[in-house]
Amino acid sequence: ILKNFWPLPSKVMLRRGSPLWVSGIVAAVETLMGYAPKTGTAALFAAASTKFYNVTSTGTVGAAVVSSLTNARWQHVNVSNSGGNFLMAVNGADKLRGWDGSSWWTDGDGAHDITGLDTATAIGVTLFKRRVWFVKSSSASAYYLPVDAIAGAAVELDLGPLFKRGGSLQAIANWSLDAGIGIDDYAAFISSQGEVALYKGSDPASATTWALVGVFYIGAPLGRRCAAPLGGDVMLICRDGLVPLSKALMSSRVNSQIALTDKILNTISEKVSLYGGNFGWQPILYPGQDMIILNVPIATGGQVQYAMNTITGAWAQFTGWPANCFEVFGNELYFGANGNVFKAFSGYADNGTAIQAEALQAFSYFGGASALKYFTMARPILATTEDVNLLYGLNVDLDTTSQPDGTPTTTSINAGEWGSGLWGSATWGGGVVQQLDWQTMTGIGYSAAAHIKATSATGQVEWSSTDYGFQRGGVL
């Protein structure tokens, strides 16, 4: 069990909090869109109900920057050309909206007209080989613009004959054999039934520069935000879990071990079965913490996240983040909630609320699976700051249901006072101090694991290892 603890290569730590970033939005924030120009001012926008808001700066939100929209479920992409840097967004109901760094425009305004496709029917937008591509709602066709263009004539690419299982086009993703952009990049067209048509090349109008590589089956994707970049790879959340496209295309769908979520397969399978039709499924890479986050929309305000350390492959569950959507902006992670935007993995509390965490180590037989043992105490090796409440317990024989009980232990650090503390031995306030105290943790069984619950709104907990005290018995 690892709830609200974040696994690092050598320890687990209480996850960071989520301070309020922007308040005052009168509806649920269902999309966050980051604008990241090569030069100029970056911006972060939130879509809620029928409006866009500028949420670049923290505080109370200002007036809406775009109004009279149909819904707040937008897909977006950043595009750069000789004319500047642009943010383009579609939602399947309104005409395409675009931001040029100073003002918003609408497809059809006379200066940014797109023909050949009604962009009010576009549910996805992406960039591949310097072309903007669109996914049309309830269709198996993709549409693309001329090279480096943000307007003009859109050309249809009908993928229907390739999808043997039927369905419509759900998303388009960039997939590469390496982590860069080059001739080995592929366009992956993902259908609602889980088929992927893979193309290579740059100009779909030319048979010499555009070719079908193959059609693969990977399982039905969940929602329009099913795909996200992972270096040069693509991670896709589908009914088989969160899978990297590179491995899915080289394996059979029945091989669940290729999934990034293989270690939490049963949990993800249950969540997909129960909540697969809900809006809000989204994988996202947060490089600042070597973290992949999978947002699971259990209920409005009751979402949970499963987070994987990309170095170790270890997973944890995060609760207390009511996220409808995530976005990485300026190397920081943000999420949109009902009426607010929060900065994620920052500070030590969730908007002033203490973080409640739980960790149960893997069970060990301590070198003798057939010998009964009487466990008397354990010493979790912790590093904590002040004002952290800890509750200790010991689970035996693979029982994950028993909970730690008793009186919480509050960490107290005797900080040195300036002018009186002995230099070189006094503990100065605000630091993380190692805790090496033995705890009474009893139980009788063949295997055991330490179990800790932690609560804090101001401090940190890091758990690196555990020593156990026990008496070995005979074989029973």
Side-chain angles (χ1 to χ4, degrees), residues 370-418:
S370 61
L372 198 64
K373 304 164 191 75
Y374 172 42
F375 297 93
T376 56
M377 60 181 61
R379 181 173 64 175
I381 308 301
L382 303 171
T384 69
T385 55
E386 207 161 7
D387 299 327
V388 175
N389 290 332
L390 296 169
L391 201 60
Y392 299 96
L394 188 76
N395 290 26
V396 297
D397 292 344
L398 311 184
D399 175 20
T400 61
T401 61
S402 299
Q403 299 295 317
D405 55 15
T407 303
T409 300
T410 302
T411 301
S412 179
I413 298 174
N414 297 319
E417 182 179 350
W418 186 263

Side-chain angles (χ1 to χ4, degrees), residues 4-30:
N4 288 331
F5 274 102
W6 172 234
L8 297 170
S10 61
K11 58 190 173 185
V12 298
M13 60 173 277
L14 191 68
R15 73 152 170 84
R16 293 300 179 90
S18 56
L20 181 65
W21 182 253
V22 168
S23 63
I25 302 174
V26 296
V29 176
E30 294 186 311

Side-chain angles (χ1 to χ4, degrees), residues 194-285:
E195 291 181 279
V196 178
L198 201 64
Y199 278 88
K200 66 178 180 179
S202 58
D203 185 2
S206 172
T208 60
T209 62
W210 184 259
L212 176 67
V213 176
V215 180
F216 308 85
Y217 184 43
I218 60 175
L222 301 179
R224 298 175 185 175
R225 297 172 183 169
C226 56
L230 180 61
D233 207 346
V234 175
M235 52 182 171
L236 179 72
I237 178 61
C238 63
R239 292 197 168 269
D240 296 337
L242 186 64
V243 298
L245 198 57
S246 59
K247 294 184 178 179
L249 298 183
M250 295 184 293
S251 179
S252 167
R253 185 187 172 190
V254 299
N255 182 12
S256 63
Q257 293 182 347
I258 66 169
L260 296 171
T261 49
D262 179 53
K263 292 182 179 180
I264 54 171
L265 175 64
N266 293 336
T267 297
I268 293 300
S269 178
E270 177 190 29
K271 296 296 186 290
V272 169
S273 297
L274 294 174
Y275 314 112
N278 292 356
F279 166 79
W281 286 90
Q282 181 188 4
I284 188 168
L285 175 66

